Amino acid sequence: MTVLFSTHAAYLEHLAGPRHPECPERLDAVLAGARRADLVDALIPLEPVAASREDLERVHPKLYLDRIEIICARGGGRLDPDTYAGPHSWTAATLAAGAGLTAVEALRRGQSDAAFCAVRPPGHHATRTESMGFCMVSNVAVTAASLAAQGERVLIVDYDAHHGNGTQDVFYDDPRVLFVSFHQWPLYPGTGRACEMGSGAGDGFTMNIPLPPETTGDRYLRALDELVAPRVAAFDPTWLVISAGFDGHRDDPITELGLTAGDYVAITRRVVEFAPVGRRVVVLEGGYDLEALTACSAGVLGVLAGVADRKITIDGQERATSGGPGQRELDTTIGLWRARS
Ligand SMILES: [Zn+2]
């Protein structure tokens, strides 16, 4: 199988601030992962097209977008305590939001079997009306909203270590999108309790899986099998979008989960099975240890290309983990969902 690999030089021009963990070097680390994956013949470069105002306004109000665009045009400024926009950030943000849309179009033309979008800034903390957590535009939501508007059923799986509060906010009452988030709890931004399951017509279309520090990969696989798979089967998605944050890696400097690159491989392998070949889009979110970003990106690209386990280079340190905490929390979450049915 082949994989569209989407990135853009303009992403490097977005500077989040001095010594900020969300730095341009993160993208270099992902590119190093693409090289390490050794998929020379399988990776197809794809240049993203910036999201149009129409695409962005499916998710964010016009005035919200105008404000960020104006701040950037005037040289930049702080949008929230940890989110800074510079003069080039608007261009980067619209290209990041457009990456998934461009990938969907290319996949629809049958150009490839999956897409990996290496973007900056990330998007999953941006709510409809608030920039936060290094995010300005809700990248994954822009892609999912476009697909939903075309009658598709979209599954979003967010395995960034932080709760995807922005994506949740956008689709909380929307049954066209099933949003599943794995995240460390408690942790920034403070949302994502298991009891947050959607509202109104969207009740039951948000699934939060909070996990304690040092949770190992086997707990994720159990959650996917026992909790996520039955819900996904009932939803029957036509597209899959993964919010791929690699800050669940145990070396990440700002979180405390216990995953390795081998775990990300195993988890992603399960998740991609939820949607048909040719309907799988991966979008980069967080991940702040550069070596972990390289190893995880290489592994996930290998999965998308359908490379067999033994051929994905995972050294000893990065083997899949098991036996850590998370079992009790998972029991509680599974119990909550069983009580609904
Ligand atoms: Zn994160």
Side-chain angles (χ1 to χ4, degrees), residues 169-252:
D169 173 66
V170 173
F171 299 114
Y172 205 57
D173 56 5
D174 190 340
R176 301 172 304 169
V177 175
L178 176 59
F179 174 63
V180 178
S181 179
F182 290 86
H183 43 270
Q184 182 182 327
W185 176 270
L187 188 68
Y188 179 91
T191 48
R193 289 178 177 83
C195 60
E196 297 167 24
M197 296 175 165
S199 67
D203 185 25
F205 292 84
T206 291
M207 179 178 269
N208 282 302
I209 306 169
L211 295 161
E214 296 175 30
T215 293
T216 42
D218 55 340
R219 311 308 182 206
Y220 281 71
L221 300 183
R222 179 183 167 215
L224 286 167
D225 290 345
E226 291 184 32
L227 189 58
V228 182
R231 186 71 196 88
V232 168
F235 180 69
D236 191 22
T238 53
W239 282 82
L240 166 70
V241 184
I242 299 181
S243 260
F246 298 124
D247 45 6
H249 192 284
R250 62 186 174 192
D251 293 341
D252 194 88

Side-chain angles (χ1 to χ4, degrees), residues 35-285:
R35 286 192 296 276
R36 188 183 294 180
D38 197 20
L39 298 165
V40 185
D41 298 330
L43 291 192
I44 303 169
L46 178 71
E47 176 141 343
V49 176
S52 67
R53 270 301 183 125
E54 186 191 351
D55 290 321
L56 296 173
E57 287 176 17
R58 268 191 216 102
V59 170
H60 301 285
K62 180 179 181 304
L63 285 177
Y64 169 84
L65 297 163
D66 287 347
R67 176 174 170 262
I68 302 176
E69 187 171 9
I70 289 166
I71 287 173
C72 293
R74 289 179 181 161
R78 202 159 285 286
L79 303 176
D80 109 307
D82 53 18
T83 314
Y84 181 83
H88 307 294
S89 299
W90 177 250
T91 303
T94 54
L95 282 163
L101 299 168
T102 314
V104 164
E105 275 178 32
L107 291 173
R108 278 212 162 118
R109 285 194 301 269
Q111 251 172 274
S112 184
D113 301 300
F116 185 106
C117 305
V119 306
R120 285 183 69 246
H124 74 151
H125 292 311
T127 70
R128 282 184 182 278
T129 55
E130 264 182 292
S131 310
M132 56 185 280
F134 323 156
C135 303
M136 284 166 234
V137 173
S138 192
N139 300 328
V140 158
V142 167
T143 297
S146 164
L147 284 166
Q150 297 169 69
E152 304 288 351
R153 292 182 303 281
V154 189
L155 168 64
I156 301 175
V157 175
D158 183 329
Y159 55 48
D160 187 281
H162 300 91
H163 178 232
N165 63 299
T167 316
Q168 171 169 306
D169 173 66
V170 173
F171 299 114
Y172 205 57
D173 56 5
D174 190 340
R176 301 172 304 169
V177 175
L178 176 59
F179 174 63
V180 178
S181 179
F182 290 86
H183 43 270
Q184 182 182 327
W185 176 270
L187 188 68
Y188 179 91
T191 48
R193 289 178 177 83
C195 60
E196 297 167 24
M197 296 175 165
S199 67
D203 185 25
F205 292 84
T206 291
M207 179 178 269
N208 282 302
I209 306 169
L211 295 161
E214 296 175 30
T215 293
T216 42
D218 55 340
R219 311 308 182 206
Y220 281 71
L221 300 183
R222 179 183 167 215
L224 286 167
D225 290 345
E226 291 184 32
L227 189 58
V228 182
R231 186 71 196 88
V232 168
F235 180 69
D236 191 22
T238 53
W239 282 82
L240 166 70
V241 184
I242 299 181
S243 260
F246 298 124
D247 45 6
H249 192 284
R250 62 186 174 192
D251 293 341
D252 194 88
I254 68 171
T255 67
E256 296 149 317
L257 289 170
L259 304 181
T260 59
D263 290 318
Y264 273 106
V265 165
I267 294 164
T268 307
R269 182 162 283 140
R270 287 279 220 291
V271 171
V272 294
E273 290 300 322
F274 290 144
V277 170
R279 299 287 180 267
R280 303 164 174 175
V281 179
V282 173
V283 181
L284 182 67
E285 298 284 359

